[in-house]
Amino acid sequence: MFGIGQGAAAPVVALTARELGGSVAAAGVVVALLGLGQVLGDLPAGRIVARLGERNAVLLGSAVGLVGVALSLVAPSVAVLGVGVGLFGVASAVWGLARQSYVVDAVPAEMRARALSAMAGLSRLGFLLGPFLGAAVVHVVGTRGGFLVQLVAVVASGALMAALPRLEHGPDAGGRGRPAVSLTTVVTSHQRVLRTLGAGALLMGAARASRTAVLPLWADHIGLDAVTTSVLFGIGAAVDVALSYPAGRFMDRRGRRGVAVSSLLVFAAAHVALPLAGTAVTLGVVAVVMGIGNGLSNGLIMTLGADAAPAEGRAEFLGAWRLCHDLGMLAGPAVVALVSAAAALAAATLAMGALAAVGAGVMARWVPRRPPAP
């Protein structure tokens, strides 16, 4: 449900900014505020989950998200729209950490990867379906209909999460979380993990996010229209969703390293091959390959974080861990923009391919060979 809301709103954020009189650059900044809000919310999210428990944290996140979506829905200016989008980014950070923490507590360790991968896959499925549902509402009420779908989805998803039973252990036990551990303590105690595996998570985030930038830009470069581009992107997204659960099952049975390394190598190959795509068919092949890389990595970062997290201060650690990945999500499109401006789009895709290959090396070095013991 939460993914449906995100997917319904995603196509209309930039369009709403343009309708309010913003330039193309201003619309791009508004879109980027969603990711910035998520990065800014990652660390506080850990403290919130530790203090309030997962279910109460979701209720708080849903309330913040509702304020953000409501502001976007009625925004009279680009500035107000930007505030609304940023607030929803913060809410997404709290939401994501709370549901991850709940699943880690609720599911046996030997099923952790497939559970988290399935959850990530369902979120991607919602994001895939959201634009279609949003398009129907937009047709009736106008561009901001996507925000209306998002508003309903935030309420529904918050209610579903709040209806889950309390667990006998973890932050929700007894209805009260543990005292929050300071950020300094978390970073100091676990700096080796954050410096090594965290670097791999950052490079994974960069490879994932650059995909959403380079595919549409290359499609425009070779003269494809928006409809064809959307279809190709949708095909890749369908492959992405289909691979989520099988990848999680493989991680539970064979360990995390194989999936971590192979997904980044697939990303590297797809980015290197992209400049060779000169037709819709060849670009479609690249989109499918990128979808395979993304599908293999669904739930991977959450699983690695859960494996590495300590029993005490887990929520705070997961907040810092998510920050590593989300900084990569911000950095990926930024690298594409900077290298494209300095050289060419083809050079940017090759640079991202190189970074993905480096990420594969980091994962091969630091991800344990076998799954953790239950």
Side-chain angles (χ1 to χ4, degrees):
M1 288 301 300
F2 198 79
I4 285 174
Q6 290 176 308
V12 303
V13 172
L15 295 177
T16 303
R18 292 287 286 151
E19 284 186 356
L20 291 170
S23 64
V24 173
V29 170
V30 171
V31 172
L33 287 173
L34 178 65
L36 180 61
Q38 193 160 332
V39 166
L40 294 176
D42 279 331
L43 292 176
R47 298 176 67 85
I48 290 169
V49 172
R51 286 188 178 277
L52 302 182
E54 290 100 346
R55 294 160 74 249
N56 290 336
V58 161
L59 292 176
L60 177 61
S62 298
V64 174
L66 278 175
V67 173
V69 178
L71 283 175
S72 302
L73 188 60
V74 301
S77 66
V78 174
V80 175
L81 176 65
V83 172
V85 170
L87 281 175
F88 187 78
V90 173
S92 297
V94 177
W95 239 98
L97 182 60
R99 66 186 178 188
Q100 177 187 4
S101 183
Y102 188 95
V103 170
V104 171
D105 274 331
V107 175
E110 61 270 22
M111 299 178 64
R112 176 182 294 162
R114 74 192 80 175
L116 291 172
S117 294
M119 184 176 71
L122 287 170
S123 181
R124 300 280 175 87
L125 179 61
F127 196 87
L128 184 63
L129 296 176
F132 296 100
L133 182 58
V137 180
V138 166
H139 180 70
V140 176
V141 304
T143 302
R144 301 198 194 197
F147 293 127
L148 193 59
V149 174
Q150 189 180 34
L151 191 73
V152 175
V154 169
V155 173
S157 55
L160 286 170
M161 184 71 183
L164 287 172
R166 291 191 186 278
L167 300 173
E168 296 180 359
H169 49 85
D172 256 352
R176 180 171 296 182
R178 296 166 284 101
V181 180
S182 72
L183 172 61
T184 302
T185 302
V186 170
V187 173
T188 302
S189 302
H190 309 289
Q191 57 177 314
R192 185 170 181 269
V193 174
L194 295 173
R195 193 175 62 242
T196 53
L197 267 180
L202 187 148
L203 291 169
M204 175 69 80
R208 283 172 162 175
S210 71
R211 155 181 167 268
T212 63
V214 296
L215 274 177
L217 289 174
W218 193 261
D220 179 70
H221 175 70
I222 63 176
L224 300 183
D225 58 32
V227 173
T228 303
T229 302
S230 297
V231 170
L232 295 180
F233 204 91
I235 292 172
V239 174
D240 174 355
V241 172
L243 283 175
S244 297
Y245 186 79
R249 188 174 177 83
F250 184 90
M251 282 191 280
D252 278 332
R253 291 177 175 270
R254 302 288 185 177
R256 314 341 185 183
R257 182 188 292 181
V259 169
V261 174
S262 60
S263 61
L264 278 163
L265 288 178
V266 170
F267 271 127
H271 279 87
V272 170
L274 185 61
L276 303 177
T279 66
V281 173
T282 52
L283 185 60
V285 172
V286 173
V288 168
V289 174
M290 286 191 175
I292 292 172
N294 217 40
L296 288 174
S297 66
N298 268 346
L300 170 68
I301 298 301
M302 289 191 292
T303 301
L304 291 177
D307 290 345
E312 294 298 323
R314 186 186 70 200
E316 296 85 354
F317 173 85
L318 289 178
W321 173 257
R322 289 177 66 89
L323 179 62
C324 294
H325 177 262
D326 290 347
L327 283 173
M329 295 285 286
L330 272 182
V335 170
V336 171
L338 290 173
V339 178
S340 297
L345 181 58
T349 64
L350 293 175
M352 289 307 307
L355 288 176
V358 171
V362 172
M363 292 296 195
R365 172 65 181 85
W366 295 108
V367 175
R369 185 180 298 275
R370 299 183 181 278

